Amino acid sequence: AEDPSTILSRFQQYLQINTAQPHPNYYEAAEFIISQAKLLSLESQTLEFVKGKPLILLKWPGNDPTLPSILLNSHTDVVPSEHHKWTHPPFSAHLDSTTGNIFARGSQDMKCVGLQYLEAIRKLKASGFRPLRTLYLSFLPDEEIGGNDGAGKFVDSDVFAKMNVGIVLDEGLASPTDNYRAFYGERSPWWLVVKAVGAPGHGAKLYDNTAMENLLKSIEIIRRFRAAQFDLVKAGQKAEGEVISVNMVFLKAGTPSPSGFVMNLQPSEAQAGFDIRVPPTADQASLERRIADEWAPASRNMSFEFKQKVSVNDKFGRPAVTAVDSSNIWWALFEEAIIKANARIGKPEIFPASTDARYFRERGLPAIGFSPMANTPILLHDHNEFLNKDEYLKGIDVYESIIKTYASYIQYQRDEASREEL
Ligand SMILES: CSCC[C@H](NC=O)C(=O)O
Ligand SMILES: [Zn+2]
Ligand SMILES: [Zn+2]
């Protein structure tokens, strides 16, 4: 078997490539992935649906190319970091010799997963394993800024159609406990801007219907809603992904002056921005009504605009979730593979934020969100993001088990037959 330090140094190499938004070095990442693929004799293809945003697609052909394939997805971009607030620079991939923690932006989200797929394949190849089903690995750009130019273009392409994908694996979240976490759906982002107008006037005057007062009324109502949703989580009645979250992310109002803002003028316009996340089972229409009638009523001189509004339903009008019961053989196989790897997963969850998995689920494809990181604090998008080396190495074994189980699965199941009729 290979020396773990060799495996870890490949992970570090990938982490050291600065693929931070808004100017990710995609080509360097692509070059690295393709060079790894060559060493593993995987077929590779670079797709550039949008100039400057390459997508790398790797293929390990199966013995039976007529069977639906398996897609192991990851994204190559990472979010920006405030470098000076990190203990070790975010692209150093520093390995702490005492704890074994590897510090880097992307160590959890999600360069770990992308390389673990490759490492698992390396081990499987070394053991002489031959897949029955074709395996694809996609390394997508653009995820952290919405995915329209990455996953969005990919799922609409002829290349994707020809891949005949049966199941997609994408990212999950770290777990602070012994159990891994798995995700069968995710909340839809609704990015809402609420705007108020009102009569301007002297800062000393008390009068009704100012823009500020109108906006503040909305903010109060939205805060009450937020608190009620949060209470359900705090009381343990609902999981984080099962409530509607609303967080105010900006406030914009006032009349600028050289020293800041004019202090004795009540402005005629005010705005607030909200990041709303809607669970797939939420009543979308009722939330839309609530926004129009209570949060931004025209009767209070309010209006609103969505900067982003992803439907909770798939293109067939059904909640965009993947079945996690006996109706979905891929879920059963996933559970089986986890057990075989001597690992455990908790109850499947709704991912609280967004991933590229939604593009696959929207098309009716099953997708499981999973990042094998147990006993790990959730640090994606945070300072000092890290992953422990032993967790990383353990995750490779887990993927080895999943890939083996998936790629060997032979029966032509009812769920596959019915999906093809759609
Ligand atoms: C709506 S696209 C934004 C995607 C982003 N994904 C991960 O953090 C998120 O904010 O959830
Ligand atoms: Zn991610
Ligand atoms: Zn992210």
Side-chain angles (χ1 to χ4, degrees):
E2 215 174 8
D3 186 337
S5 69
T6 315
I7 299 173
L8 294 173
S9 76
R10 281 191 291 264
F11 182 34
Q12 287 170 298
Q13 259 189 73
Y14 188 31
L15 291 171
Q16 281 160 357
I17 302 168
N18 183 343
T19 52
Q21 293 287 358
H23 302 293
N25 198 339
Y26 281 134
Y27 293 104
E28 203 182 325
E31 208 176 297
F32 174 75
I33 298 296
I34 292 165
S35 71
Q36 291 303 314
K38 285 220 176 81
L39 294 170
L40 296 171
S41 312
L42 298 173
E43 294 174 22
S44 71
Q45 192 180 357
T46 304
L47 302 164
E48 205 158 329
F49 297 112
V50 173
K51 208 172 160 349
K53 300 186 179 185
L55 181 167
I56 312 307
L57 184 63
L58 309 182
K59 180 178 182 182
W60 188 5
N63 291 340
D64 186 348
T66 66
L67 291 173
S69 66
I70 294 144
L71 175 61
L72 306 174
N73 185 52
S74 69
H75 61 82
T76 54
D77 58 328
V78 298
V79 287
S81 332
E82 294 174 78
H83 292 229
H84 60 283
K85 294 188 181 165
W86 284 56
T87 316
H88 307 286
F91 296 104
S92 65
H94 174 82
L95 196 164
D96 184 294
S97 56
T98 324
T99 58
N101 294 336
I102 299 169
F103 291 85
R105 174 59 85 223
S107 55
Q108 293 194 11
D109 179 15
M110 61 172 302
K111 285 177 169 167
C112 49
V113 170
L115 262 227
Q116 281 167 325
Y117 294 151
L118 281 170
E119 297 296 348
I121 288 174
R122 188 188 309 272
K123 288 183 141 189
L124 286 166
K125 286 215 164 193
S127 74
F129 178 78
R130 296 289 311 272
L132 174 70
R133 288 173 191 264
T134 296
L135 276 163
Y136 288 100
L137 274 69
S138 47
F139 293 82
L140 306 194
D142 212 48
E143 193 275 346
E144 294 292 3
I145 55 167
N148 292 307
D149 292 345
K153 295 283 189 302
F154 184 37
V155 296
D156 281 340
S157 68
D158 291 337
V159 175
F160 187 77
K162 290 207 185 78
M163 286 161 62
N164 185 23
V165 173
I167 173 73
V168 182
L169 289 191
D170 204 323
E171 69 189 304
L173 289 177
S175 165
T177 74
D178 280 343
N179 290 357
Y180 289 137
R181 306 171 71 178
F183 299 86
Y184 66 100
E186 57 189 50
R187 296 195 294 191
S188 296
W190 289 17
W191 292 345
L192 176 73
V193 177
V194 170
K195 299 174 190 176
V197 293
H202 198 289
K205 188 172 182 233
L206 285 169
Y207 58 97
D208 282 326
N209 203 22
T210 71
M212 285 295 201
E213 280 294 308
N214 287 337
L215 183 65
L216 280 169
K217 280 179 192 158
S218 290
I219 292 173
E220 280 168 20
I221 292 164
I222 295 170
R223 277 192 70 203
R224 273 204 294 278
F225 178 85
R226 179 188 188 274
Q229 295 290 304
F230 198 7
D231 281 345
L232 295 170
V233 178
K234 287 175 180 163
Q237 279 174 264
K238 293 223 170 149
E240 191 188 358
E242 291 167 357
V243 297
I244 299 172
S245 65
V246 194
N247 289 307
M248 187 157 70
V249 290
F250 76 79
L251 273 170
K252 192 174 163 211
T255 309
S257 80
S259 60
F261 288 92
V262 178
M263 291 302 293
N264 58 356
L265 173 61
Q266 301 189 54
S268 66
E269 285 178 26
Q271 299 188 0
F274 297 90
D275 183 336
I276 306 171
R277 303 290 170 132
V278 189
T281 48
D283 183 343
Q284 184 164 309
S286 112
L287 179 61
E288 281 162 352
R289 274 197 305 277
R290 186 186 287 273
I291 292 168
D293 299 347
E294 296 176 29
W295 295 6
S299 59
R300 206 167 57 235
N301 282 332
M302 311 277 307
S303 60
F304 63 93
E305 183 196 333
F306 284 106
K307 294 284 177 191
Q308 172 91 248
K309 185 169 184 272
V310 176
S311 169
V312 298
N313 294 322
D314 65 15
K315 66 171 186 173
F316 310 106
R318 297 179 294 225
V321 291
T322 297
V324 281
D325 56 26
S326 56
S327 72
N328 178 7
I329 185 64
W330 299 111
W331 175 253
L333 293 171
F334 181 80
E335 284 189 307
E336 184 187 313
I338 296 284
I339 291 167
K340 275 192 201 150
N342 280 319
R344 284 197 310 257
I345 38 170
K347 194 164 110 28
E349 301 169 71
I350 297 292
F351 195 87
S354 297
T355 72
D356 279 337
R358 75 179 183 278
Y359 289 96
F360 303 106
R361 292 197 191 104
E362 266 165 19
R363 302 185 76 84
L365 283 170
I368 299 171
F370 177 66
S371 299
M373 299 181 282
N375 302 305
T376 303
I378 305 163
L379 291 170
L380 77 170
H381 298 203
D382 205 338
H383 302 322
N384 296 316
E385 180 180 348
F386 73 80
L387 180 59
N388 188 273
K389 70 177 173 60
D390 296 324
E391 276 303 319
Y392 177 76
L393 295 170
K394 169 73 189 167
I396 295 170
D397 298 343
V398 172
Y399 279 121
E400 204 184 335
S401 174
I402 295 171
I403 294 171
K404 216 169 172 172
T405 306
Y406 272 5
S408 315
Y409 177 62
I410 190 160
Q411 278 117 303
Y412 193 75
Q413 291 283 320
R414 198 167 51 84
D415 67 316
E416 287 178 11
S418 60
R419 199 183 44 257
E420 271 154 31
E421 284 162 24
L422 294 170

